[in-house]
Amino acid sequence: MPRPSDTKQRIQEVARELFARQGVQRTSLQEIADRLGITKPALYYHFSSREELVRSIVQPIIDEEEAFLMGQEALGEAEPRALLEGYFDFHYRHRRDIVLMLSELTTLADLGLIDLVLNWRGRLVKLLYGPEPTLEQATRAVIAFGGLQDCTIQFADVPKDELRRVAVDGACAALGIEPQRETRRRA
Amino acid sequence: MPRPSDTKQRIQEVARELFARQGVQRTSLQEIADRLGITKPALYYHFSSREELVRSIVQPIIDEEEAFLMGQEALGEAEPRALLEGYFDFHYRHRRDIVLMLSELTTLADLGLIDLVLNWRGRLVKLLYGPEPTLEQATRAVIAFGGLQDCTIQFADVPKDELRRVAVDGACAALGIEPQRETRRRA
DNA sequence: CTATGCTTACCTATCGTTAAGTAAGGAGCC
DNA sequence: GGCTCCTTACTTAACGATAGGTAAGCATAG
């Protein structure tokens, strides 16, 4: 029964699940097709190559993180807690795909996206401490941002708002910032 | 030229490098053999399967971390800074293999080692805060230990002692501990 | 002679990918 | 309504490449 089908999206859904569970490399097109009860070449009707399927899953998240960073950079030097909260929200929202990307750096390399992703940490540090941070500042930032990321992955079952509060508090502590309740600036 | 050869170790060295650079899955036995100027069946003379080669690289690190944890657990509740320093030292020493393991969780799953590895975080938290930590405590611990791990990977070019100082200070800050200079306990 | 440490040659399974064909359903004209 | 035409959404069949793995044999040092 032709005319609009949702097969393309269903392929992406199954692929995300299998990629996350057993890795991109270990997931064959055959396996994805079998899950959906279609044939392997049917995938090629919707995606011109295996690489395009992988990219279609990864690229939107990359684009969104890139947009987040560019938005923050446009503001000049950031207010730390607001930056941490924005970072947490983004990573919490995409935690499933983030863990996929972190465990598939070689896949990102294949897609030519690895340099972009590896530069994110550096850009975050610069947002907090300017273009030439000290080693102390850089390590604190790595601990804070890495810690937020880890928390969104590790405590996937904790309600978002509760996790957000304790995780951002922890990141603030790592940075040596007194935790103000939620984002509120005073002149 | 028979009689003692170091081929087995040279295979492991090349495998570690290729596994780390391009991933375990993307590295074929053929490629490893080519690097060494030997043939693929020669690998099978030294390792009975591909899986055994992978395991021979990963297992020693797992065993050592396991030993470290069991040693700490035998002491009862740990002195935080000493625990953080021990954790840092271990991860700094094996940072190349650690990054390999972190980016190859699916490989660890194949080897049946994944549950062990994923439980490490929980055991570390218990070492700091006992068997039933609060969410606050658990997040702080994840940030601290994850941060130490990240630092050993991120700042691979920084001299060990300098990195150790700033990284452990950062982890202490995340835990809310005042940083005492180095480990020294007073009764 | 015997064990070690390989090589040459080969097998089978599976991978991503392509070519070619086809059933189902509008759209447009009469 | 019926006929043609095109698009959508697949299927069946097969391709070449490469993967992990094996069987059998040969050279060399002890």
Side-chain angles (χ1 to χ4, degrees):
Chain A
M1 52 213 73
R3 280 296 106 146
S5 87
D6 59 344
T7 304
K8 185 164 187 172
Q9 293 166 39
R10 298 202 304 132
I11 292 169
Q12 287 176 318
E13 283 166 29
V14 169
R16 283 156 96 108
E17 191 199 321
L18 292 180
F19 287 166
R21 175 134 47 92
Q22 57 194 22
V24 173
Q25 280 303 306
R26 285 164 207 248
T27 303
S28 68
L29 299 186
Q30 189 67 62
E31 199 175 351
I32 297 170
D34 288 349
R35 280 274 181 127
L36 291 163
I38 60 176
T39 61
K40 200 167 46 161
L43 297 187
Y44 277 85
Y45 175 78
H46 296 283
F47 299 94
S48 67
S49 71
R50 179 190 157 83
E51 183 178 315
E52 200 202 296
L53 169 58
V54 176
R55 178 171 263 121
S56 80
I57 291 173
V58 165
Q59 190 78 54
I61 291 103
I62 300 225
D63 289 344
E64 197 178 330
E65 172 118 25
E66 199 65 22
F68 169 74
L69 277 174
M70 286 181 55
Q72 292 288 329
E73 285 165 347
L75 297 175
E77 273 202 21
E79 199 277 323
R81 189 170 179 106
L83 178 60
L84 292 173
E85 285 174 350
Y87 188 80
F88 173 88
D89 287 342
F90 174 78
H91 278 261
Y92 187 90
R93 196 152 14 100
H94 294 104
R95 64 213 129 114
R96 287 191 161 267
D97 298 304
I98 300 277
V99 70
L100 173 63
M101 286 172 52
L102 289 178
S103 58
E104 292 285 345
L105 293 182
T106 58
T107 297
L108 291 179
D110 289 351
L111 297 176
L113 298 169
I114 190 72
D115 290 332
L116 203 67
V117 171
L118 292 182
N119 270 332
W120 286 345
R121 282 270 164 97
R123 290 168 71 184
L124 286 165
V125 177
K126 287 196 181 76
L127 276 170
L128 282 180
Y129 295 118
E132 284 181 7
T134 66
L135 178 63
E136 273 84 357
Q137 291 172 328
T139 55
R140 296 304 183 100
V142 164
I143 293 171
F145 288 114
L148 284 181
Q149 202 174 67
D150 286 359
C151 283
T152 61
I153 294 165
Q154 198 87 7
F155 304 107
D157 49 333
V158 176
K160 176 174 179 181
D161 289 335
E162 188 180 357
L163 181 59
R164 183 177 135 122
R165 183 173 51 79
V166 295
V168 174
D169 279 357
C172 282
L175 292 178
I177 296 172
E178 78 286 3
Q180 333 148 243
R181 276 283 78 78
E182 297 302 310
T183 306
R184 229 173 301 130
R185 306 195 66 170
R186 16 182 163 269
Chain B
M1 52 212 78
R3 281 293 107 158
S5 87
D6 60 343
T7 305
K8 185 165 185 173
Q9 294 166 40
R10 300 202 301 132
I11 291 170
Q12 289 176 316
E13 283 165 29
V14 169
R16 282 156 97 107
E17 191 200 321
L18 291 181
F19 287 166
R21 177 134 46 89
Q22 57 194 21
V24 173
Q25 279 304 303
R26 287 164 204 247
T27 304
S28 67
L29 300 184
Q30 189 65 63
E31 196 174 354
I32 297 170
D34 289 349
R35 279 275 180 127
L36 290 163
I38 62 175
T39 61
K40 198 168 49 161
L43 295 187
Y44 278 87
Y45 176 77
H46 295 283
F47 299 94
S48 67
S49 69
R50 179 192 157 82
E51 182 177 317
E52 200 202 296
L53 169 58
V54 176
R55 177 171 263 121
S56 80
I57 292 173
V58 165
Q59 191 77 54
I61 292 103
I62 301 229
D63 289 344
E64 198 179 328
E65 173 119 24
E66 199 65 23
F68 170 74
L69 277 174
M70 286 181 57
Q72 292 288 329
E73 286 164 349
L75 296 176
E77 274 203 18
E79 200 277 321
R81 190 171 179 107
L83 178 60
L84 291 172
E85 283 173 351
Y87 188 81
F88 173 89
D89 287 342
F90 174 79
H91 279 261
Y92 188 90
R93 197 151 15 97
H94 294 106
R95 62 214 129 112
R96 288 191 159 266
D97 297 305
I98 299 279
V99 71
L100 172 63
M101 286 171 52
L102 289 178
S103 57
E104 293 284 344
L105 293 183
T106 59
T107 297
L108 292 179
D110 289 351
L111 297 175
L113 299 170
I114 190 72
D115 290 332
L116 203 69
V117 172
L118 292 182
N119 269 332
W120 286 346
R121 283 271 163 97
R123 291 168 70 184
L124 286 166
V125 177
K126 288 195 180 76
L127 276 169
L128 282 180
Y129 296 117
E132 284 181 7
T134 65
L135 179 63
E136 272 85 358
Q137 290 172 329
T139 55
R140 297 303 184 100
V142 164
I143 293 172
F145 288 114
L148 283 182
Q149 201 175 67
D150 286 0
C151 283
T152 61
I153 294 165
Q154 197 88 9
F155 304 108
D157 50 333
V158 175
K160 177 176 179 180
D161 289 335
E162 188 180 358
L163 181 59
R164 183 177 135 119
R165 185 173 49 79
V166 295
V168 174
D169 279 356
C172 283
L175 292 178
I177 298 170
E178 78 288 2
Q180 336 146 245
R181 275 285 77 77
E182 296 304 308
T183 306
R184 229 172 302 135
R185 304 196 68 168
R186 17 186 162 269

